Amino acid sequence: MAVVDVIVPASRPRLWQRVLVERLRACGHDVAVLHQSADPWPAAALQILRFERRLFRRRAVGLATPVEAITQVQTQRPADLRLDLTGVAPPSPAPTVRLTFDGRFSDFAAVSAVAAGRLPDLQAVLADGTVVGRAAPMIDKREATALGIEDVLARAVTLGLSVVARFDGGWTQERQKIAPATGGAGGSGFVGRYVTSALPRLGREALRRARFRHAHWRVGYRFIDGPGVAETGMLGDGWRQLPDDGTHFYADPFPYAWRQGEHLIFVEDYPHATGKAIISLVRIGADGAVRGPVEPVLEEPFHLSYPQVFDWRGDVWMLPEGSASSRLTLYRAERFPDRWVTEAVLLEGKISDATLFQQDGSWWLFATDRDGYGSTSDTMVVFRAPSPAGPWHPHRMNPIVIDRAMARPGGAFATVDGRPLLPVQDGTEGYGGGLGLSELLELDENTVRLAPPRPVSGRGDWPYPRIHTLNRAGRLEVIDGIAAVRRR
């Protein structure tokens, strides 16, 4: 494990900096803590963040909150790497990595960006400008600066951990030089930006939520003989809508070609009254008509979604998301399609939208991991196992990417002209803002490489083009889209 000097503000460091130090030690690194004088955050900004956290009833201490000084600790060995969390530490013989926030060496620059309505990116940069790590954090709640900055700082922790781990492994990934980042915190005029940008945005979201459901998804399906969405890159025509009565929604559709003349669609079934989804199925006849009512098939004490259904060793299996339980659980059909039993707990943690892929005798699992704090949609992790039942082992390059535009899977892999394509959610415009198709270029025990996603065009007759799931089984293709539904 590496010997790491972590440079933190001498007074009033932020909680995210303390969390990063603690997690580096928990990973087994020999961590020294050094103090450096740094400009504090503006008092007005801290008051605004405290106000918003009270407004949204956030009682836990936020990652942006100033905490007591982090105790200085020396080590007996010279540092292999220095991690400067102040951006102003003097030069050193050891390689020094600094984090940039929206192009500046100050974490407060991210606060300014979020208040102005921007999505700040992060970079880990050596003294010569070489980039050794990147992060494009997802912001789930963009209406509030205090909530948005939590998502950004959570990924600052993830990025710092990733950089140290990859340095320990030799920094084998591709690196690139950039223009030097600017100094300063970007705090000038913060209150003005907050009043003119953040406050109106907060008011608009409050009005929207008073009139509309926070989220309401609708499932589309069609039978198609030729190329579908994965092949053409656009939604196209011929979609039918799975009806709902407005009291609950259906999302995350996974189709299954069952018996002649009948297909099944497994969906997340979310009643607005309970706020906890179950897994249900819909029967679709050969004529495209829905046969019978929607049937609940799996319910747990926690929220379920993303019901990937697949065949293996003569049985039918389901791998739904159950991140609210902090576990990823595999189910087997005891009586297909309406009776399922727990087979194994595959992974612990907040694992979202786990998607399976089989190659050269190995099974691979692509998913996102919340990594303790922040969004569930921006940090991709990959695992490998000899079978779907495990045991699953993390890839040595985890996290593969920290990127709101391609980290979270949005459906099962599709094969087009021999190329595996992973549907990925694009959170640039918010959760459910769009879907892309990312080609898997390289996959082995040392490397995971995905191409930048090709956006799926909304052109066609589907009325809700902001989709976040795409799947196909035989002739049946399914999607979902977010709709504006008024409160009753």
Side-chain angles (χ1 to χ4, degrees):
M1 288 295 180
V3 181
V4 186
D5 284 352
V6 183
I7 299 106
V8 300
S11 64
R12 297 180 66 77
R14 268 71 67 191
L15 178 61
W16 75 269
Q17 295 161 336
R18 172 177 287 175
V19 169
L20 178 51
V21 169
E22 292 171 348
R23 290 193 58 184
L24 285 170
R25 287 175 175 153
C27 290
H29 299 293
D30 188 358
V31 178
V33 175
L34 309 179
H35 284 179
Q36 175 66 44
S37 297
D39 292 336
W41 284 13
L46 293 173
Q47 291 173 358
I48 287 171
L49 297 181
R50 283 196 294 268
F51 162 74
E52 284 195 349
R53 290 188 67 82
R54 287 197 297 269
L55 182 66
F56 285 90
R57 299 178 182 178
R58 295 298 195 270
R59 293 182 174 84
V61 178
L63 291 174
T65 304
V67 295
E68 295 297 324
I70 304 172
T71 304
Q72 289 196 87
V73 176
Q74 300 289 338
T75 63
Q76 301 301 315
R77 296 182 291 165
D80 300 314
L81 178 70
R82 284 163 44 102
L83 192 58
D84 178 14
L85 305 186
T86 68
V88 294
S92 166
T96 300
V97 173
R98 295 192 287 177
L99 302 186
T100 70
F101 300 79
D102 200 40
R104 294 176 179 268
F105 288 127
S106 168
D107 52 359
F108 185 72
V111 184
S112 295
V114 174
R118 300 197 309 275
L119 299 175
D121 289 343
L122 314 180
Q123 292 181 322
V125 186
L126 291 173
D128 65 355
T130 301
V131 177
V132 294
R134 302 174 187 273
M138 173 75 170
I139 296 181
D140 287 329
K141 299 185 181 299
R142 302 183 183 185
E143 65 272 19
T145 304
L147 305 186
I149 192 59
E150 292 295 300
D151 291 341
V152 175
L153 296 180
R155 291 307 150 247
V157 173
T158 304
L159 180 59
L161 291 167
S162 173
V163 166
V164 174
R166 295 191 180 192
F167 169 83
D168 213 22
W171 267 340
T172 55
Q173 79 275 26
E174 180 181 351
R175 296 191 281 172
Q176 174 186 352
K177 285 193 176 183
I178 61 167
T182 59
S188 177
F190 172 79
V191 174
R193 282 192 296 275
Y194 183 83
V195 170
T196 58
S197 180
L199 272 183
R201 191 167 64 249
L202 188 60
R204 288 192 298 269
E205 179 63 15
L207 289 174
R208 187 192 72 82
R209 293 199 183 192
R211 299 172 58 198
F212 295 94
R213 297 285 190 189
H214 175 52
H216 192 95
W217 295 87
R218 293 225 160 98
V219 166
Y221 67 96
R222 67 180 179 181
F223 284 106
I224 184 169
D225 293 309
V229 177
E231 291 81 7
T232 64
M234 66 178 184
L235 294 183
D237 299 325
W239 295 100
R240 298 190 184 195
Q241 188 175 145
L242 189 64
D244 66 68
D245 61 8
T247 64
H248 59 165
F249 67 69
Y250 306 120
D252 290 354
F254 278 82
Y256 186 87
W258 189 18
R259 54 194 179 194
Q260 187 173 3
E262 186 172 16
H263 282 69
L264 306 176
I265 304 177
F266 291 85
V267 295
E268 170 193 349
D269 183 347
Y270 182 95
H272 287 294
T274 66
K276 180 182 75 69
I278 64 174
I279 303 301
S280 295
L281 71 83
V282 182
R283 301 173 187 265
I284 306 293
D287 58 356
V290 174
R291 290 185 174 178
V294 176
E295 305 171 39
V297 297
L298 180 62
E299 182 172 5
E300 294 283 17
F302 46 85
H303 180 95
L304 292 170
S305 61
Y306 203 78
Q308 184 174 15
V309 177
F310 62 98
D311 296 314
W312 178 56
R313 291 184 177 176
D315 287 313
V316 186
W317 306 76
M318 183 192 297
L319 187 62
E321 181 199 319
S323 61
S325 69
S326 296
R327 290 179 172 181
L328 178 64
T329 303
L330 178 67
Y331 297 82
R332 179 177 53 83
E334 185 178 65
R335 184 186 69 194
F336 187 78
D338 61 351
R339 184 182 295 169
W340 299 82
V341 294
T342 299
E343 185 70 17
V345 174
L346 305 186
L347 296 168
E348 303 282 347
K350 299 285 187 180
I351 304 295
S352 297
D353 293 356
T355 302
L356 296 171
F357 180 71
Q358 191 175 15
Q359 175 180 275
D360 299 332
S362 291
W363 287 78
W364 300 84
L365 188 151
F366 290 69
T368 56
D369 181 2
R370 192 183 181 204
D371 193 35
Y373 297 85
S375 174
T376 59
S377 299
D378 58 9
T379 305
M380 176 182 281
V381 289
V382 170
F383 299 83
R384 184 184 186 184
S387 79
W392 289 94
H393 301 286
H395 197 279
R396 63 184 296 269
M397 297 301 291
N398 282 347
I400 306 304
V401 294
I402 306 171
D403 192 335
R404 55 183 166 264
M406 64 178 295
R408 185 164 180 162
F413 275 88
T415 302
V416 177
D417 298 328
R419 299 176 296 123
L421 302 180
L422 176 64
V424 291
Q425 300 183 39
D426 184 355
T428 305
E429 299 299 325
Y431 184 74
L435 195 76
L437 296 164
S438 184
E439 181 181 352
L440 181 59
L441 302 174
E442 193 173 359
L443 177 64
D444 57 37
E445 64 274 12
N446 295 314
T447 306
V448 179
R449 193 160 62 91
L450 290 156
R454 174 171 58 110
V456 172
S457 167
R459 190 171 63 181
D461 63 3
W462 177 244
Y464 313 110
R466 294 179 60 183
I467 69 170
H468 83 334
T469 310
L470 167 68
N471 283 298
R472 184 170 179 174
R475 298 179 57 240
L476 179 60
E477 190 170 43
V478 294
I479 56 174
D480 60 4
I482 194 165
V485 174
R486 288 184 178 274
R487 293 184 179 274
R488 295 186 174 183

